Amino acid sequence: MKIKALKSFAGKVTMTAGQELNVEDKEMAEDLVNAGFAEEIKVAAKGKA
């Protein structure tokens, strides 16, 4: 899940405010979003050529 940090934080995942990161552990990424530390970045689906 791709997320963007809203504020700096440290732990199993460490990010600075404004940083974007793809977090493989979806549950951890969702926890960060629910806690207000990050927001999910929606990735557009790729179309077939």
Side-chain angles (χ1 to χ4, degrees):
M1 170 186 250
K2 191 163 186 174
I3 60 173
K4 179 178 180 179
L6 299 176
K7 51 184 105 176
S8 298
F9 57 88
K12 287 186 178 181
V13 175
T14 300
M15 298 177 73
T16 58
Q19 182 181 3
E20 296 180 3
L21 183 67
N22 187 30
V23 178
E24 296 295 325
D25 185 342
K26 186 174 180 174
E27 184 176 336
M28 182 174 296
E30 289 174 347
D31 285 346
L32 291 168
V33 171
N34 290 336
F37 288 103
E39 64 184 3
E40 181 178 1
I41 298 173
K42 300 287 185 183
V43 180
K46 293 180 182 178
K48 293 184 178 182

